Amino acid sequence: MNIHKFVMPEVIFGNDAIHQVGESCLRLGATNVLIVSDPGVIEAGWLDVVIKSCKQAGLKYTTFYDVTINPKDKEVENGCEVYIQNECDSIIGIGGGSPIDVAKAIAVLVTNGGRIHDYEGVDKIKNPLPPQVMIPTTAGSGSEVSQFSVIVDTIGQKKMTIVSKSLVPDIAIVDPKTLSTKSAHLTASTGLDVLTHGIEAYVSLAATPLTDVQAKNAISLVAQYLRPSVASKINREAKTNMAMASLQAGLAFSNAILGAVHAMSHAVGGKYPILHGDVNSILLPHVMEYNLLANPKKFADIALFLGIDIRGMSDMEAGKKAIEYVKHLTVDIGAPQRLSDIGLEKEEIRNMSLIALHDACMITNPRDVTVEDIEEIFRKAW
């Protein structure tokens, strides 16, 4: 029998769970926290909620919010300086994937030293990290439960994927109410990131029964609730189910890793300031088409999870229906359809294909990939 490993933080899920952040930090022994967020989170009012909870718990706090989409190495270094200057002993990350990934990367540097580039790859972190509490405000990245942090190397113009059990936060607080301040575009983009996490984790070479059940639920919830969630900021049922989908997809990919969609979209995001979910939504059907041959049975399962009646179909036929469904979903919610629409230059494809080939996520892609294969997929999506 194979041995399966599954890592996850303590999870607090539900409306108003965000108010437990101060008490959660206390339970971890925190006295002086660095709160990492971004301008969008501040504008939405969620940073104030976190500060109030920290004050009520008697915690000292410092804020750092100089964080951009596709966060950069320099932002991590700046945050590290703020942590050290203010003698912090713990970290809260609140926001989408960017502030949470930066918060984790700061945690690495303050106890391990050096530059964040030193930790690119798998299991390079040696010393324990300070206590970390993460609060996602987008149903998207899954970073609040994952063993990943993705940071842009500004000189190399590529995303560095850092993978380590140390990056799994101590506590993840998932409050569906935080999703009510997102625009329709951001809801669509982050929701398609959730779907990509679920599908890539399910067909990953490192998938296990423990990750499959999480991926299955995530895919099924996205199929039912992403459209209504994009359509309405106040649809409580849709927001709660998308928050659960994001959480479960995060648990799946943290443990099963991902595949070619993420390897390729990391290459794009390292060079262009484009929403990660937008790139995923364009690439996902094309990569599914490429990977179908490697595991038709699992792609047929995906069709089932999406709610497609696959009776009387072969696995290949059902898998093709799943791909069709994903294409229709992206159109329904107004996601971008081509890489050329979001500003990608065709002459960059060769270089990006080389970068994608060496991304950590490519290792678990179910079908063997050459640089020419990646170029071909990029061209189809362009």
Side-chain angles (χ1 to χ4, degrees):
M1 178 188 156
N2 292 332
I3 293 170
H4 305 313
K5 187 177 80 165
F6 191 90
V7 293
M8 66 178 288
E10 174 185 331
V11 175
I12 303 170
F13 184 99
N15 289 322
D16 298 317
I18 192 171
H19 299 293
Q20 295 196 27
V21 62
E23 182 265 337
S24 296
C25 289
L26 282 183
R27 284 195 286 118
L28 296 172
T31 60
N32 185 1
V33 296
L34 177 68
I35 308 170
V36 181
S37 68
D38 67 20
V41 174
I42 296 169
E43 199 183 317
W46 299 117
L47 181 63
D48 291 339
V49 175
V50 170
I51 288 171
K52 186 180 174 190
S53 179
C54 288
K55 281 180 175 171
Q56 284 170 344
L59 292 163
K60 284 172 70 178
Y61 68 88
T62 303
T63 59
F64 176 74
Y65 48 84
D66 181 18
V67 176
T68 56
I69 68 163
N70 300 320
K72 325 285 181 286
D73 42 18
K74 189 73 189 138
E75 293 160 27
V76 175
E77 286 157 20
N78 293 344
C80 181
E81 280 172 31
V82 172
Y83 183 102
I84 291 163
Q85 281 164 4
N86 290 277
E87 298 178 340
C88 299
D89 58 17
S90 48
I91 292 188
I92 296 169
I94 172 158
S98 299
I100 294 177
D101 277 5
V102 169
K104 291 170 156 188
I106 291 168
V108 172
L109 288 194
V110 296
T111 54
N112 286 268
R115 302 183 69 215
I116 200 63
H117 310 67
D118 304 335
Y119 304 98
E120 184 180 6
V122 181
D123 291 336
K124 303 277 179 70
I125 299 165
K126 298 288 178 263
N127 300 333
L129 307 194
Q132 305 172 68
V133 178
M134 302 299 167
I135 311 164
T137 59
T138 66
S141 78
S143 188
E144 73 280 0
V145 294
S146 85
Q147 50 183 333
F148 284 70
S149 175
V150 181
I151 303 293
V152 172
D153 169 357
T154 41
I155 293 172
Q157 290 194 320
K158 68 184 186 78
K159 284 192 170 184
M160 300 178 287
T161 305
I162 301 156
V163 189
S164 169
K165 187 173 177 287
S166 307
L167 291 172
V168 177
D170 296 283
I171 302 176
I173 299 176
V174 184
D175 186 337
K177 274 191 179 176
T178 61
L179 305 184
S180 63
T181 53
K182 285 166 62 184
S183 68
H185 175 208
L186 189 60
T187 302
S189 183
T190 54
L192 288 165
D193 194 19
V194 174
L195 182 61
T196 308
H197 290 154
I199 290 173
E200 290 214 287
Y202 191 70
V203 299
S204 161
L205 293 177
T208 72
L210 290 167
T211 61
D212 280 353
V213 68
Q214 305 290 340
K216 172 189 172 180
N217 287 347
I219 294 165
S220 174
L221 288 170
V222 171
Q224 294 171 76
Y225 293 104
L226 181 54
R227 288 178 181 89
S229 187
V230 171
S232 165
K233 282 186 174 181
I234 57 170
N235 184 331
R236 190 67 63 80
E237 184 190 3
K239 299 301 178 199
T240 300
N241 281 290
M242 280 307 298
M244 182 57 81
S246 179
L247 172 67
Q248 294 197 293
L251 291 170
F253 89 77
S254 175
N255 290 279
I257 321 299
L258 293 156
V261 179
H262 272 78
M264 293 169 73
S265 93
H266 287 160
V268 175
K271 190 162 178 64
Y272 292 93
I274 299 168
L275 285 174
H276 172 66
D278 284 358
V279 186
N280 283 351
S281 69
I282 296 166
L283 292 173
L284 179 59
H286 297 283
V287 172
M288 287 175 75
E289 226 163 328
Y290 178 80
N291 282 338
L292 175 58
L293 196 65
N295 199 336
K297 171 72 179 82
K298 277 212 152 176
F299 279 96
D301 292 346
I302 289 166
L304 208 56
F305 307 155
L306 291 168
I308 299 165
D309 183 354
I310 62 167
R311 282 175 299 186
M313 290 184 199
S314 69
D315 288 345
M316 284 296 282
E317 287 165 346
K320 284 174 183 167
K321 287 286 180 202
I323 297 163
E324 237 171 78
Y325 180 100
V326 171
K327 284 179 184 165
H328 287 312
L329 174 62
T330 65
V331 171
D332 288 351
I333 60 176
Q337 295 299 303
R338 310 215 63 79
L339 293 171
S340 50
D341 297 343
I342 56 173
L344 189 86
E345 290 151 8
K346 206 168 191 176
E347 48 273 29
E348 289 290 346
I349 287 176
R350 176 70 185 176
N351 187 37
M352 280 192 217
S353 301
L354 287 164
I355 292 170
L357 187 65
H358 297 108
D359 189 277
C361 294
M362 202 60 98
I363 300 162
T364 45
N365 192 68
R367 186 173 174 184
D368 293 348
V369 181
T370 65
V371 73
E372 288 75 23
D373 295 327
I374 302 169
E375 281 188 67
E376 179 64 19
I377 297 167
F378 267 135
R379 288 210 169 83
K380 282 183 177 171
W382 195 79

